[in-house]
Amino acid sequence: MTATIPTAFSAATEGGIPVTFSGCAGFYHPGGGDVAVLMCSAWGYEELCVRASWRQMADELATAGFPTLRFDYPGVCDSLGASTEPWRLDDWIDAAKAAAALLLDVSQARRIIVLGQGLGAGVAILVAQQLSRVEGLVLLASFSKGRAYVRELSVSATMLADAAGVSIAARADGSLTMLGFELPASFVGDLKKLNFLELESLPAPRVLLVDRVQSQQELANHFNFLGAAVEQVPYTGYEELVSNPTITEHPREVFSGIVGHMVAWRGDRTRPFNSTPRAPQPAKPLVGPSWRETPLHMANGHVFGVFCEPLAPRVESVALFLNCGANPHTGWRRMTVDHARVLAAHGIASLRIDTTGIGDCPAPIDFGERIYTQVQTADVLAAVDWLAGQGRGKVSVIGVCSGAYQAFHAAIREPRIEQAIIINLVVFARDPARSVSELIKYHSRSNTEYFSRVLDRDGLIKLLKGQAPIRKLLSVVLGRIADSAKYKLMWLIHSLVGKKLLNEPQKRLAELAARGTRISFVTSAGDLAEDELTKYFGKNCVGLRAYDNVTWSRIQNADHNLTTQESVDWLRDHLLARLDDPIKSSFRQAS
């Protein structure tokens, strides 16, 4: 069954109109002027963090009259290809040139500004050199020498892995891995050869450098030497933007300032011109070896999703992948894309979505918290409605962390959900007095992990320097101990009086059992999610045995987000077993 694609064209379209071209996925943001903007995104974890802010800046550019296109490189996010393929830098340059051609054709703009961040800043410089009619170049968190930038990425990868509690092995093949995001050795080799201080021709007459603490003064001087009008502004809020995608802070002032610079470059050229902008063609499905994917908006724009259909359908049920925290629909380390395509290769369709304010789904500026909310649950149910409209009435919801919370609560409310695969559920019920930011900072690790981190060398140094919020952590740990003691007392009373004292999660599981909804709890061994299950279902989750519809599986040597390839592969096999042959997969223990 082929998805229905909206064809409406509106200059006020928020979040952008999905487009596909040359094997790449992207979004076109219509604007009324004759200067267009091509956005070349960052890579890996940085891209994961900035994607929603990138969308917001594209909307702001369109509102200011700039037709704008943002897109995914080959082997990245929703575009075709595996990230491990031997990509070359030229593959990304060719994709950027194809994106520019589409942008200029659809918008009928006469000039173009190229904007890039991080690794995308290098792409922006290289593609600007190969385009005509370039008005300006905007470089955010850029670099001048590729070899030094690769070293910087490697150091960042090590620091991020340490913060996540993940051990990484050195890659002998020359590839680069950052929290599971991969750059193949062929690409890294090309990147190391770059030296923008040796450019002999000017890529653009105007250059805006948005720097981290004036880190690119040499690059600014070289562009000045080549004859460009160079401006430099600080990238205020950069660290907050790229620290954590769930609690990232949108640098509104910096991004609005960038738009202001572009308006000044353009001058008064916002008046109508002879060539009329055209509506982009409805996004054609991207077709892989055994699947096709269609990007689309649903629920009147409140939900964005990518529908992945097998070319040879075999299973009636469909998987619905939910956001983990504020990670976009592509998933942590692109895991959701990879899993969706593997399912399709086995004849199973899926829909991966962004709910309001996350990833590629827009939200009002003052929208507030995006996860653990009733609005997000309503968005999930709207996606179920859309699937039903496509003749897909049997739905299995899949979620990690906050996505696990939404999977559980959506299953409670929606009978058409026949199965929920709930991975590393941190809370069954969120305390409304606790902000999402506090939940992420102080309630995302188990007591054992907190103690081990405080007692290791780095933790002791932070403790002695007063850098660790020891009072807050002690408050969190003591509160958990008291909470655990309360539930242990309930279990003791239960065993003494022989009566079943149902808590709220137990009641909900009983309701789901009566309806026949299957539940698969999955936890990383030692994760905080196991503390939550133990609190409500006793030591070793013995209470779960009362429910015929419930299974519990553990993944050894895995972190909360499932960063390692082994944990991703385990979950892939678990999903296949649950969706392909749910009877035989009644219980799986990870090896």
Side-chain angles (χ1 to χ4, degrees):
M1 183 176 296
T2 302
T4 302
I5 311 301
T7 58
F9 175 76
S10 168
T13 301
E14 292 187 357
I17 300 170
V19 294
T20 55
F21 60 94
S22 304
C24 295
F27 293 86
Y28 174 64
H29 300 249
D34 70 344
V35 178
V37 177
L38 176 66
M39 301 178 74
C40 300
S41 66
W43 166 79
Y45 184 72
E46 185 177 7
E47 192 279 335
L48 189 80
C49 290
V50 305
R51 192 173 184 99
S53 289
W54 214 235
R55 163 181 49 78
Q56 291 180 61
M57 181 158 64
D59 278 340
E60 189 172 351
L61 284 165
T63 300
F66 294 96
T68 302
L69 184 73
R70 54 191 178 93
F71 69 100
D72 299 329
Y73 305 115
V76 173
C77 296
D78 288 324
S79 291
L80 292 180
S83 55
T84 53
E85 291 181 29
W87 299 106
R88 306 300 298 263
L89 182 57
D90 280 345
D91 295 320
W92 287 21
I93 303 303
D94 290 343
K97 288 193 294 185
L102 173 64
L103 172 61
L104 292 171
D105 177 63
V106 171
S107 68
Q108 291 294 290
R110 290 180 284 194
R111 304 284 289 172
I112 190 169
I113 295 171
V114 186
L115 180 154
Q117 169 150 338
L119 184 47
V123 174
I125 294 172
L126 294 170
V127 76
Q129 284 190 305
Q130 300 184 41
L131 296 176
S132 59
R133 301 183 290 166
V134 176
E135 181 85 7
L137 188 61
V138 181
L139 306 176
L140 290 76
S142 58
F143 62 95
S144 55
K145 297 179 180 179
R147 188 171 295 275
Y149 187 62
V150 169
R151 286 198 300 269
E152 180 183 333
L153 290 175
S154 299
V155 171
S156 296
T158 301
M159 294 174 63
L160 287 168
D162 179 65
V166 178
S167 60
I168 56 171
R171 304 296 291 265
D173 63 353
S175 61
L176 177 65
T177 299
M178 181 183 292
L179 292 179
F181 294 97
E182 295 197 28
L183 279 179
S186 53
F187 191 102
V188 174
D190 292 340
L191 186 56
K192 286 180 177 179
K193 296 175 184 176
L194 295 180
N195 187 347
F196 296 124
L197 301 181
E198 297 178 349
L199 287 177
E200 296 181 356
S201 60
L202 193 62
R206 299 180 179 90
V207 178
L208 174 64
L209 286 170
V210 186
D211 287 342
R212 298 165 290 171
V213 294
Q214 296 278 313
S215 61
Q216 295 302 321
Q217 189 59 52
E218 277 189 302
L219 188 60
N221 293 341
H222 188 65
F223 281 137
N224 264 318
F225 172 75
L226 292 175
V230 180
E231 299 172 87
Q232 292 174 269
V233 297
Y235 203 153
T236 306
Y238 173 79
E239 298 298 333
E240 292 79 7
L241 175 64
V242 300
S243 62
N244 186 314
T246 300
I247 56 176
T248 185
E249 298 180 21
H250 177 63
R252 192 177 313 282
E253 185 175 339
V254 173
F255 281 12
S256 294
I258 291 171
V259 176
H261 274 84
M262 293 188 189
V263 170
W265 290 352
R266 182 186 61 194
D268 62 354
R269 284 178 291 166
T270 57
R271 62 183 182 276
F273 48 95
N274 293 334
S275 299
T276 303
R278 296 195 283 263
Q281 292 295 316
K284 295 180 179 179
L286 292 176
V287 181
S290 56
W291 45 264
R292 60 173 172 264
E293 291 187 337
T294 308
L296 53 104
H297 289 290
M298 61 198 79
N300 295 320
H302 290 289
V303 180
F304 172 78
V306 175
F307 190 41
C308 183
E309 303 171 274
L311 297 181
R314 195 173 54 81
V315 176
E316 185 178 358
S317 182
V318 60
L320 175 58
F321 289 99
L322 310 183
N323 294 112
C324 169
N327 296 343
H329 62 277
T330 51
W332 184 260
R333 54 159 296 167
R334 208 193 185 201
M335 176 171 63
T336 308
V337 175
D338 292 340
H339 283 163
R341 292 174 180 177
V342 168
L343 289 179
H346 287 78
I348 304 166
S350 67
L351 175 67
R352 52 184 187 269
I353 64 170
D354 285 330
T355 54
T356 303
I358 296 177
D360 295 313
C361 188
I365 292 176
D366 57 351
F367 180 68
E369 292 183 338
R370 299 168 290 173
I371 63 176
Y372 290 110
T373 66
Q374 292 186 9
V375 172
Q376 189 179 34
T377 308
D379 288 343
V380 174
L381 299 180
V384 174
D385 287 339
W386 185 89
L387 286 169
Q390 308 301 305
R392 307 278 184 168
K394 295 182 178 181
V395 179
S396 293
V397 287
I398 303 162
V400 180
C401 191
S402 67
Y405 172 93
Q406 291 298 345
F408 182 68
H409 287 272
I412 291 168
R413 292 178 54 180
E414 177 52 73
R416 288 173 296 188
I417 294 176
E418 64 173 7
Q419 176 176 212
I421 300 174
I422 298 170
I423 306 150
N424 285 337
L425 174 71
V426 175
V427 291
F428 277 100
R430 179 192 162 194
D431 181 355
R434 184 180 295 158
S435 69
V436 169
S437 178
E438 182 182 358
L439 187 66
I440 298 298
K441 289 180 179 178
Y442 300 114
H443 300 268
S444 59
R445 302 185 189 276
S446 66
N447 289 349
T448 302
E449 190 171 0
Y450 274 132
F451 283 128
S452 65
R453 281 177 171 266
V454 168
L455 295 176
D456 69 14
R457 180 177 177 274
D458 292 339
L460 287 172
I461 291 173
K462 289 181 180 179
L463 190 62
L464 292 172
K465 289 183 176 180
Q467 296 174 343
I470 191 66
R471 288 186 179 180
K472 182 64 179 179
L473 290 177
L474 279 174
S475 173
V476 170
V477 170
L478 291 174
R480 287 182 186 167
I481 292 172
D483 209 22
S484 177
K486 179 180 72 173
Y487 281 95
K488 284 180 179 178
L489 180 60
M490 289 180 60
W491 282 101
L492 177 61
I493 295 172
H494 172 198
S495 62
L496 290 175
V497 302
K499 292 184 178 179
K500 196 171 185 179
L501 304 176
L502 292 178
N503 54 50
E504 192 64 25
Q506 290 175 340
K507 292 177 183 176
R508 296 304 190 185
L509 283 185
E511 293 172 5
L512 292 168
R515 189 198 296 161
T517 303
R518 292 177 291 116
I519 304 294
S520 168
F521 288 111
V522 176
T523 59
S524 298
D527 189 78
L528 180 61
E530 297 193 342
D531 294 347
E532 184 76 355
L533 286 175
T534 299
K535 182 168 70 174
Y536 291 106
F537 299 101
K539 187 176 181 180
N540 296 324
C541 301
V542 65
L544 290 177
R545 296 176 184 171
Y547 307 95
D548 294 336
N549 62 318
V550 176
T551 67
W552 172 40
S553 305
R554 304 180 77 210
I555 313 177
Q556 301 295 336
N557 303 316
D559 65 309
H560 183 74
N561 289 314
L562 308 185
T563 302
T564 65
Q565 188 61 50
E566 292 76 14
S567 60
V568 171
D569 291 345
W570 185 93
L571 182 58
R572 174 203 63 204
D573 294 342
H574 185 70
L575 295 179
L576 284 170
R578 296 290 304 192
L579 290 158
D580 195 9
D581 197 344
I583 304 302
K584 292 183 180 179
S585 65
S586 59
F587 183 83
R588 284 183 75 242
Q589 183 72 28
S591 58

